[in-house]
Amino acid sequence: MATLSPGPSLPPAPLPRLPAANRALPCVCHTCHCLSLSRGGPISPSSAAQQSKQLAGRGGNMERGPVVGAGRGAGARIRALLGGLVRVLLWVASALLYFGSEQAARLLGSPCLRRLYHAWLAAVVIFGPLLQFHVNPRTIFASHGNFFNIKFVNSAWGWTCTFLGGFVLLVVFLATRRVAVTARHLSRLVVGAAVWRGAGRAFLLIEDLTGSCFEPLPQGLLLHELPDRRSCLAAGHQWRGYTVSSHTFLLTFCCLLMAEEAAVFAKYLAHGLPAGAPLRLVFLLNVLLLGLWNFLLLCTVIYFHQYTHKVVGAAVGTFAWYLTYGSWYHQPWSPGSPGHGLFPRPHSSHKHN
């Protein structure tokens, strides 16, 4: 039996060497290997890197997607919240506007309260000067150059015509839709302007007739025999006479006039005529202006002018109101009283016995 002797040992066979392109594969992440396995074959490094970037981009979009959506959702919720808040504020403002206009119209439309209002103005002018002993004489309202005295009192008729003219225009035109009737009711303001201008000239005439020319000196006043105001002022002196308070007259006349005109709004609402937010707002502005005139009248009688000058000015204003609103406007050849011809008269049933 022959024995087999071991032959010479052969060296191990070398492993096949990969190409240079395949040797760069270790730098590719496991994602490339998964891609190559899922597609059933090898994948080139360039395509693997491109697919890796695509996957990274998709992953980034997936991460940023919820953040963008959350931002949009938060913005929409904020806008919805602000819109709801604005609607609530508008509703509250509208409710206050309607409630305030209804209550103010009811107060001004009451004949009893209007008579009490006349008594209130008389009490302010007659007894208001007594308050000067109980108020601060250094307050801003005691100065002739205060804001309210310059911007409002000196131009009280202009403010009254602007606010009250807008109210009368809206009420009459919405109630009748007739331009001629509207112009007729607005003519009451023209009459009021004529009364104001005429009263101012009458007050200056009274001061000229009752005045004298004085020259101020350190020891006192020196009387000069100059005949009229013009020559006295031209000589550099002062003319002093009986001065009716034009501010008291104007504020009293404006208060009575506005109270009379604004009282129509109660009948206007009672007849169910169109009364939107603009008309109600204009009415409330007139009510606020009427309250301001009452306050400034009180300040005037407390801090300015002599007592008799203020009483005479208020008396002339009340008399001017009585001649126009209390007497003349009830005549057929007049501009007509406030509310005349605007509302249908109720049919009265006559009983025959």
Side-chain angles (χ1 to χ4, degrees):
M1 181 173 179
T3 61
L4 298 176
S5 60
S9 60
L10 299 176
L15 295 175
R17 306 183 70 177
L18 296 175
N22 292 337
R23 285 201 300 269
L25 286 176
C27 66
V28 181
C29 61
H30 295 285
T31 307
C32 305
H33 180 66
C34 296
L35 288 174
S36 63
L37 293 178
S38 63
R39 294 185 178 181
I43 184 171
S44 63
S46 61
S47 61
Q50 184 177 4
Q51 292 178 2
S52 177
K53 291 179 180 180
Q54 293 177 356
L55 288 176
R58 293 174 184 176
N61 292 336
M62 291 178 62
E63 292 176 0
R64 289 194 299 268
V67 177
V68 175
R72 292 177 180 177
R77 287 193 296 269
I78 293 175
R79 287 192 296 270
L81 180 61
L82 292 177
L85 180 61
V86 169
R87 287 192 294 270
V88 170
L89 292 177
L90 290 177
W91 182 85
V92 172
S94 178
L96 292 177
L97 178 64
Y98 275 73
F99 177 77
S101 60
E102 293 281 347
Q103 298 304 317
R106 183 177 302 176
L107 290 176
L108 293 175
S110 174
C112 179
L113 289 179
R114 286 209 303 276
R115 287 192 292 269
L116 291 177
Y117 180 68
H118 289 202
W120 152 258
L121 290 180
V124 166
V125 176
I126 295 175
F127 302 107
L130 298 177
L131 297 176
Q132 61 183 333
F133 304 105
H134 304 282
V135 296
N136 185 9
R138 297 181 180 180
T139 183
I140 186 175
F141 297 104
S143 172
H144 286 276
N146 69 77
F147 174 80
F148 291 96
N149 196 34
I150 295 176
K151 297 298 183 181
F152 289 95
V153 177
N154 292 338
S155 56
W157 184 250
W159 288 103
T160 302
C161 280
T162 302
F163 282 77
L164 194 59
F167 172 72
V168 174
L169 174 65
L170 290 176
V171 166
V172 178
F173 186 76
L174 291 176
T176 62
R177 303 290 179 174
R178 297 172 60 184
V179 178
V181 177
T182 305
R184 180 180 179 181
H185 281 269
L186 286 175
S187 65
R188 289 194 298 270
L189 297 179
V190 178
V191 174
V195 169
W196 159 235
R197 296 289 295 181
R201 292 183 179 275
F203 296 159
L204 291 178
L205 180 60
I206 293 174
E207 186 178 1
D208 290 340
L209 294 177
T210 59
S212 301
C213 186
F214 294 91
E215 180 183 358
L217 295 176
Q219 298 82 8
L221 296 175
L222 177 62
L223 178 62
H224 289 273
E225 297 296 334
L226 295 177
D228 55 7
R229 176 202 296 267
R230 181 177 300 178
S231 59
C232 179
L233 297 180
H237 306 319
Q238 296 180 358
W239 184 268
R240 295 188 178 183
Y242 188 85
T243 306
V244 180
S245 176
S246 58
H247 287 175
T248 306
F249 161 79
L250 181 58
L251 291 174
T252 303
F253 183 65
C254 288
C255 287
L256 294 173
L257 183 146
M258 294 190 70
E260 198 73 25
E261 295 284 353
V264 179
F265 198 57
K267 294 182 180 180
Y268 184 91
L269 295 177
H271 283 79
L273 295 172
L279 177 58
R280 293 176 180 268
L281 180 60
V282 171
F283 171 72
L284 285 183
L285 288 177
N286 279 271
V287 174
L288 293 177
L289 186 63
L290 177 60
L292 179 62
W293 290 160
N294 281 266
F295 173 73
L296 294 180
L297 176 62
L298 181 61
C299 293
T300 300
V301 300
I302 292 176
Y303 296 110
F304 306 118
H305 309 294
Q306 298 182 15
Y307 182 78
T308 58
H309 299 176
K310 293 177 285 191
V311 173
V312 172
V316 174
T318 305
F319 184 66
W321 170 85
Y322 176 77
L323 288 179
T324 53
Y325 285 86
S327 178
W328 180 37
Y329 290 163
H330 296 282
Q331 304 299 324
W333 43 274
S334 68
S337 59
H340 176 73
L342 303 185
F343 315 112
R345 295 181 179 179
H347 298 283
S348 59
S349 58
H350 299 278
K351 296 182 180 181
H352 301 280
N353 295 329

